[in-house]
Protein backbone atom coordinates (compact mmCIF):
# COMPACT_ATOMS: atom_id res chain seq x y z
CA UNK A 1 0.00 0.00 0.00
CA UNK A 2 2.91 2.34 0.66
CA UNK A 3 3.97 2.11 -2.99
CA UNK A 4 0.43 2.89 -4.09
CA UNK A 5 0.37 6.08 -2.04
CA UNK A 6 3.77 7.21 -3.35
CA UNK A 7 2.99 6.41 -6.97
CA UNK A 8 -0.45 8.00 -6.73
CA UNK A 9 1.11 11.25 -5.47
CA UNK A 10 3.71 11.14 -8.26
CA UNK A 11 1.06 10.47 -10.89
CA UNK A 12 -0.97 13.43 -9.63
CA UNK A 13 2.09 15.55 -10.45
CA UNK A 14 2.06 13.98 -13.96
CA UNK A 15 5.26 12.08 -13.16
CA UNK A 16 5.69 9.35 -15.80
CA UNK A 17 7.41 6.94 -13.39
CA UNK A 18 4.46 7.16 -10.99
CA UNK A 19 2.02 6.64 -13.86
CA UNK A 20 3.99 3.66 -15.15
CA UNK A 21 4.10 2.13 -11.67
CA UNK A 22 0.32 2.50 -11.28
CA UNK A 23 -0.20 0.99 -14.71
CA UNK A 24 2.00 -1.99 -13.81
CA UNK A 25 0.22 -2.37 -10.46
CA UNK A 26 -3.32 -2.43 -11.89
CA UNK A 27 -3.20 -3.26 -15.59
CA UNK A 28 -3.61 -7.05 -15.27
CA UNK A 29 -6.66 -6.80 -13.01
CA UNK A 30 -8.25 -4.03 -15.07
CA UNK A 31 -7.62 -5.98 -18.28
CA UNK A 32 -9.45 -8.96 -16.77
CA UNK A 33 -12.37 -6.70 -15.86
CA UNK A 34 -12.54 -5.17 -19.36
CA UNK A 35 -12.29 -8.64 -20.91
CA UNK A 36 -15.14 -9.91 -18.75
CA UNK A 37 -17.35 -7.35 -20.53
CA UNK A 38 -16.04 -7.63 -24.09
CA UNK A 39 -14.93 -11.25 -24.25
CA UNK A 40 -12.27 -10.13 -26.72
CA UNK A 41 -8.72 -9.57 -25.53
CA UNK A 42 -7.87 -7.05 -28.25
CA UNK A 43 -10.94 -4.94 -27.44
CA UNK A 44 -10.20 -5.26 -23.72
CA UNK A 45 -6.63 -4.03 -24.33
CA UNK A 46 -7.99 -0.99 -26.21
CA UNK A 47 -10.38 -0.27 -23.35
CA UNK A 48 -7.55 -0.68 -20.84
CA UNK A 49 -5.30 1.81 -22.63
CA UNK A 50 -8.11 4.34 -23.08
CA UNK A 51 -9.08 3.96 -19.44
CA UNK A 52 -5.55 4.61 -18.23
CA UNK A 53 -5.25 7.62 -20.53
CA UNK A 54 -8.48 8.96 -19.04
CA UNK A 55 -7.29 8.06 -15.56
CA UNK A 56 -4.03 9.97 -15.88
CA UNK A 57 -5.74 12.93 -17.53
CA UNK A 58 -8.36 13.19 -14.78
CA UNK A 59 -6.37 11.86 -11.82
CA UNK A 60 -6.91 15.08 -9.87
CA UNK A 61 -10.59 14.11 -9.65
CA UNK A 62 -9.60 11.16 -7.48
CA UNK A 63 -9.38 12.60 -3.99
CA UNK A 64 -7.46 9.94 -2.13
CA UNK A 65 -4.91 7.23 -2.96
CA UNK A 66 -6.97 4.71 -0.98
CA UNK A 67 -9.93 5.13 -3.33
CA UNK A 68 -7.78 5.01 -6.49
CA UNK A 69 -8.34 1.28 -7.25
CA UNK A 70 -12.13 1.71 -7.03
CA UNK A 71 -12.04 4.93 -9.04
CA UNK A 72 -9.95 3.27 -11.76
CA UNK A 73 -12.26 0.23 -11.83
CA UNK A 74 -15.24 2.52 -12.36
CA UNK A 75 -13.49 4.13 -15.34
CA UNK A 76 -12.71 0.72 -16.86
CA UNK A 77 -16.26 -0.57 -16.38
CA UNK A 78 -17.79 2.59 -17.84
CA UNK A 79 -15.39 2.50 -20.80
CA UNK A 80 -16.21 -1.16 -21.41
CA UNK A 81 -19.93 -0.44 -21.37
CA UNK A 82 -19.49 2.51 -23.73
CA UNK A 83 -17.37 0.36 -26.04
CA UNK A 84 -20.04 -2.34 -26.16
CA UNK A 85 -22.74 0.24 -26.82
CA UNK A 86 -20.81 1.68 -29.76
CA UNK A 87 -19.48 -1.50 -31.29
CA UNK A 88 -21.89 -4.32 -30.62
CA UNK A 89 -25.52 -4.82 -31.40
CA UNK A 90 -27.09 -6.04 -28.20
CA UNK A 91 -30.60 -7.33 -28.41
CA UNK A 92 -32.76 -7.33 -25.32
CA UNK A 93 -36.29 -8.62 -25.08
CA UNK A 94 -38.83 -7.73 -22.42
CA UNK A 95 -39.85 -11.27 -21.49
CA UNK A 96 -39.70 -12.30 -17.86
CA UNK A 97 -38.36 -15.75 -17.01
CA UNK A 98 -38.88 -17.27 -13.59
CA UNK A 99 -35.99 -18.27 -11.36
CA UNK A 100 -37.61 -21.72 -11.09
CA UNK A 101 -35.10 -22.92 -13.66
CA UNK A 102 -32.28 -22.63 -11.15
CA UNK A 103 -31.64 -25.54 -8.86
CA UNK A 104 -30.63 -25.38 -5.18
CA UNK A 105 -27.07 -26.52 -5.87
CA UNK A 106 -26.47 -23.75 -8.44
CA UNK A 107 -23.81 -21.96 -6.36
CA UNK A 108 -21.93 -25.17 -5.59
CA UNK A 109 -21.68 -26.04 -9.28
CA UNK A 110 -20.76 -22.44 -10.17
CA UNK A 111 -17.56 -22.69 -8.10
CA UNK A 112 -16.41 -25.71 -10.14
CA UNK A 113 -16.44 -23.93 -13.51
CA UNK A 114 -13.91 -21.54 -15.00
CA UNK A 115 -15.54 -18.10 -15.09
CA UNK A 116 -13.56 -17.03 -18.16
CA UNK A 117 -14.88 -20.09 -19.99
CA UNK A 118 -18.43 -19.22 -19.00
CA UNK A 119 -18.12 -15.59 -20.11
CA UNK A 120 -16.58 -16.60 -23.41
CA UNK A 121 -19.78 -18.53 -24.17
CA UNK A 122 -22.43 -16.30 -22.55
CA UNK A 123 -24.38 -14.03 -24.94
CA UNK A 124 -23.20 -10.42 -24.70
CA UNK A 125 -26.52 -8.99 -23.46
CA UNK A 126 -26.71 -11.49 -20.61
CA UNK A 127 -23.02 -11.03 -19.78
CA UNK A 128 -23.31 -7.25 -19.62
CA UNK A 129 -26.28 -7.28 -17.23
CA UNK A 130 -24.81 -10.17 -15.21
CA UNK A 131 -21.51 -8.31 -14.73
CA UNK A 132 -23.22 -5.10 -13.68
CA UNK A 133 -25.61 -6.83 -11.29
CA UNK A 134 -23.32 -9.46 -9.77
CA UNK A 135 -19.82 -7.98 -9.89
CA UNK A 136 -20.52 -4.24 -9.86
CA UNK A 137 -23.49 -4.72 -7.47
CA UNK A 138 -25.72 -2.35 -9.44
CA UNK A 139 -29.47 -2.39 -8.92
CA UNK A 140 -31.79 -2.94 -11.88
CA UNK A 141 -32.80 0.71 -11.88
CA UNK A 142 -29.13 1.75 -12.14
CA UNK A 143 -28.47 -0.79 -14.88
CA UNK A 144 -31.49 0.46 -16.80
CA UNK A 145 -30.19 4.03 -16.62
CA UNK A 146 -26.63 3.05 -17.59
CA UNK A 147 -27.74 1.00 -20.60
CA UNK A 148 -30.78 3.08 -21.52
CA UNK A 149 -33.15 0.14 -21.23
CA UNK A 150 -36.20 -0.49 -19.07
CA UNK A 151 -35.85 -1.90 -15.58
CA UNK A 152 -37.95 -4.88 -16.73
CA UNK A 153 -35.47 -5.57 -19.52
CA UNK A 154 -32.62 -5.56 -17.00
CA UNK A 155 -34.48 -8.03 -14.77
CA UNK A 156 -35.41 -10.17 -17.75
CA UNK A 157 -31.87 -10.30 -19.08
CA UNK A 158 -30.49 -11.20 -15.66
CA UNK A 159 -33.08 -13.95 -15.32
CA UNK A 160 -32.28 -15.23 -18.81
CA UNK A 161 -28.59 -15.03 -18.01
CA UNK A 162 -29.13 -17.13 -14.87
CA UNK A 163 -31.16 -19.65 -16.87
CA UNK A 164 -28.47 -19.73 -19.56
CA UNK A 165 -25.84 -20.24 -16.85
CA UNK A 166 -27.84 -23.04 -15.21
CA UNK A 167 -28.29 -24.76 -18.60
CA UNK A 168 -24.61 -24.31 -19.38
CA UNK A 169 -23.60 -25.83 -16.04
CA UNK A 170 -26.03 -28.74 -16.57
CA UNK A 171 -24.52 -29.44 -19.99
CA UNK A 172 -20.99 -29.36 -18.52
CA UNK A 173 -22.13 -31.68 -15.74
CA UNK A 174 -23.64 -34.07 -18.31
CA UNK A 175 -20.42 -33.99 -20.36
CA UNK A 176 -18.46 -34.82 -17.22
CA UNK A 177 -20.79 -37.73 -16.38
CA UNK A 178 -20.59 -39.07 -19.96
CA UNK A 179 -16.79 -39.00 -19.85
CA UNK A 180 -16.79 -40.74 -16.46
CA UNK A 181 -19.22 -43.42 -17.70
CA UNK A 182 -17.00 -44.10 -20.71
CA UNK A 183 -14.01 -44.62 -18.39
CA UNK A 184 -15.96 -47.23 -16.43
Amino acid sequence: MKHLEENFKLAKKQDRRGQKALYEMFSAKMLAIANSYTNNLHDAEDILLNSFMKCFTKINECRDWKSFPFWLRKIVVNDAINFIRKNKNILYSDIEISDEYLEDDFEERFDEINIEEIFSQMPVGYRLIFNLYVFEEKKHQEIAEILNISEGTSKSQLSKGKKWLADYLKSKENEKRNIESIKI
Side-chain angles (χ1 to χ4, degrees), residues 26-69:
F26 292 100
S27 61
K29 184 175 183 177
M30 297 302 137
L31 180 63
I33 291 168
N35 194 43
S36 76
Y37 282 87
T38 63
N39 194 34
N40 180 310
L41 191 56
H42 296 295
D43 292 340
E45 289 169 343
D46 288 346
I47 291 165
L48 177 74
L49 293 176
N50 288 331
S51 296
F52 270 101
M53 292 286 288
K54 190 180 290 181
C55 162
F56 294 136
T57 308
K58 298 180 175 191
I59 196 161
N60 287 325
E61 293 177 16
C62 184
R63 289 172 254 149
D64 185 39
W65 65 272
K66 293 176 186 171
S67 63
F68 177 78

Side-chain angles (χ1 to χ4, degrees), residues 161-172:
K162 287 179 180 178
K163 181 192 179 314
W164 180 92
L165 186 55
D167 291 345
Y168 179 85
L169 293 173
K170 284 178 192 172
S171 73
K172 286 293 180 184

Side-chain angles (χ1 to χ4, degrees), residues 105-163:
D105 64 343
F106 171 76
E107 289 182 22
E108 292 171 22
R109 289 184 290 138
F110 185 77
D111 291 337
E112 298 172 7
I113 302 293
N114 181 339
I115 290 178
E116 287 180 21
E117 178 185 340
I118 291 170
F119 284 140
S120 71
Q121 303 294 317
M122 185 180 271
V124 69
Y126 300 167
R127 184 174 63 238
L128 185 56
I129 304 281
F130 193 87
N131 274 340
L132 288 170
Y133 188 83
V134 174
F135 298 117
E136 302 305 322
E137 299 178 348
K138 300 284 186 197
K139 299 199 179 324
H140 288 294
Q141 182 180 355
E142 294 172 288
I143 295 169
E145 289 172 14
I146 290 168
L147 299 177
N148 197 24
I149 59 176
S150 73
E151 198 173 327
T153 299
S154 176
K155 290 176 182 178
S156 170
Q157 294 302 297
L158 179 63
S159 184
K160 288 178 182 182
K162 287 179 180 178
K163 181 192 179 314

Side-chain angles (χ1 to χ4, degrees), residues 4-5 27 45 48 75 89 91 101 139 174 182-183:
L4 173 57
E5 182 178 10
S27 61
E45 289 169 343
L48 177 74
I75 291 172
N89 292 324
L91 299 176
Y101 290 101
K139 299 199 179 324
N174 288 339
I182 292 172
K183 291 179 182 177

